[in-house]
Amino acid sequence: MPTTFTSVDEVQVTRAIVASFTEDFLASTELEVAIVGAGPSGMTAARLLARQGRRVAVFERNLHVGGGMWGGGMLLPRVVVEEEARPLLEEVGVLLRPWQPGYWVADSVECVSKCTAAALDAGARVWVGMAVEDLMIDDQDRVRGLVINWGAVQRAMLHVDPLAVAARVVIDASGHDCELLRTLERKLPGVRLDTPTGRVMGEQPMNAARAEARVVALTKEVYPHLVVAGMAANAASGAPRMGAIFGGMFLSGQQAAQVAQEILRRDYGS
Ligand code: 48H
């Protein structure tokens, strides 16, 4: 016997998708915090800000979340973290297995899934398939939002004009390429960022201990209302890469959430 469904109408499916997308997306057009990139730093910042009641959304170019977490180390699907990052994963229910003293190992699929579920449950919106191609800047030279387009449009190199969303604070959690900072430099040639040279310096060769030690301190407001987090923070300030250890990324996300809160209090009194 075939299963009988009470309601299957193609047009109702279409209307459900378009109407619910429109309603939800409209709520993301005026944000307190917009986060670029759904890797470990971006998703952690999203969760912590949403948990504190902030209107926050993540914009991710790919159709999947998780950034570099899926691939673990050289495609082996494990996420290794140091003791210091353990609470940030355990509080979302990720099972951590001990390795040597100070090292903990998680399954990548579990790590991505639970970090994502926790961010959503806390109230963060996550938009996949949306690439950030530019920033909006206000008359006082402060970042005031994102310029977005479909990731598929970017890949197909189509000439399609973008849309824009307002945000009081933007977090660049775009990973190794620190795309937003580079975009800012390209668009504003004389711009000075809060990095040792005032410019994007690019990441240095691998030195895990030094890279992990620096990433939290380098997670900061590098341009008015623009915070850099995760691997982008090290790339911005010329710090090394760390390889397949992720504790610094989660802790950087936590720091980015704190910095965003400070900016909101400082400039918006909220
Ligand atoms: C929308 C964008 C855009 C854009 C990029 O790379 P990620 O995982 O980022 P982090 O910094 O949270 O974590 C880094 C970590 O995964 C890693 O690579 C490490 C620890 N490497 C060390 C080493 O030595 O190699 O995620 C960034 C996300 C990705 O999903 C991108 O697709 C997305 O940002 N993204 N999304 N618009 N313009 N640019």
Side-chain angles (χ1 to χ4, degrees):
M1 278 287 284
T3 307
T4 311
F5 291 93
T6 50
S7 47
V8 186
D9 178 276
E10 296 87 343
V11 176
Q12 286 308 329
V13 174
T14 304
R15 290 168 65 91
I17 290 172
V18 174
S20 79
F21 173 85
T22 304
E23 186 185 335
D24 292 346
F25 191 73
L26 283 174
S28 279
T29 54
E30 288 185 89
L31 295 163
E32 288 179 293
V33 185
I35 300 174
V36 184
S41 65
M43 289 304 269
T44 302
R47 175 175 94 246
L48 298 178
L49 285 162
R51 203 168 69 185
Q52 290 165 77
R54 294 300 186 184
R55 205 163 53 254
V56 52
V58 180
F59 295 83
E60 167 57 52
R61 167 190 287 146
N62 288 321
L63 274 181
H64 58 266
V65 295
M69 281 190 283
W70 294 111
M74 217 174 118
L75 284 185
L76 307 181
R78 295 291 180 271
V79 169
V80 177
V81 298
E82 306 90 327
E83 175 67 30
E84 290 70 17
R86 191 176 154 199
L88 284 171
L89 291 184
E90 286 190 338
E91 74 184 20
V92 302
V94 174
L95 178 71
L96 289 170
R97 282 187 277 163
W99 176 239
Q100 298 291 314
Y103 296 89
W104 297 87
V105 189
D107 174 80
S108 292
V109 175
E110 183 181 353
C111 203
V112 174
S113 307
K114 291 187 172 169
C115 289
T116 306
L120 295 172
D121 287 348
R125 283 260 170 228
V126 182
W127 298 106
V128 292
M130 291 191 193
V132 177
E133 63 169 56
D134 202 353
L135 289 162
M136 288 197 290
I137 306 286
D138 70 15
D139 293 341
Q140 285 97 50
D141 296 325
R142 302 178 305 191
V143 167
R144 60 175 282 264
L146 300 178
V147 179
I148 58 172
N149 217 324
W150 298 113
V153 162
Q154 261 192 357
R155 285 204 171 94
M157 292 193 285
L158 300 177
H159 181 169
V160 177
D161 280 351
L163 294 177
V165 299
R168 291 178 165 180
V169 178
V170 168
I171 298 176
D172 181 350
S174 66
H176 292 262
D177 293 334
C178 56
E179 282 200 23
L180 291 195
L181 300 190
R182 291 196 188 276
T183 301
L184 207 56
E185 279 196 338
R186 199 175 67 249
K187 299 274 171 111
L188 303 172
V191 73
R192 283 201 67 77
L193 305 170
D194 183 13
T195 68
T197 59
R199 310 293 294 172
V200 174
M201 297 169 68
E203 75 185 34
Q204 285 181 357
M206 193 183 291
N207 180 329
R210 195 184 304 163
E212 289 288 89
R214 295 195 62 196
V215 67
V216 175
L218 294 175
T219 299
K220 57 185 177 175
E221 186 180 23
V222 286
Y223 184 82
H225 296 187
L226 178 60
V227 178
V228 68
M231 199 55 227
N234 278 17
S237 286
R241 67 188 300 183
M242 64 291 291
I245 185 148
F246 284 79
M249 298 298 113
F250 295 107
L251 290 163
S252 168
Q254 181 180 46
Q255 171 72 5
Q258 261 165 36
V259 176
Q261 290 280 30
E262 282 157 22
I263 297 170
L264 289 167
R265 284 191 210 105
R266 183 191 72 201
D267 292 348
Y268 293 93
S270 65

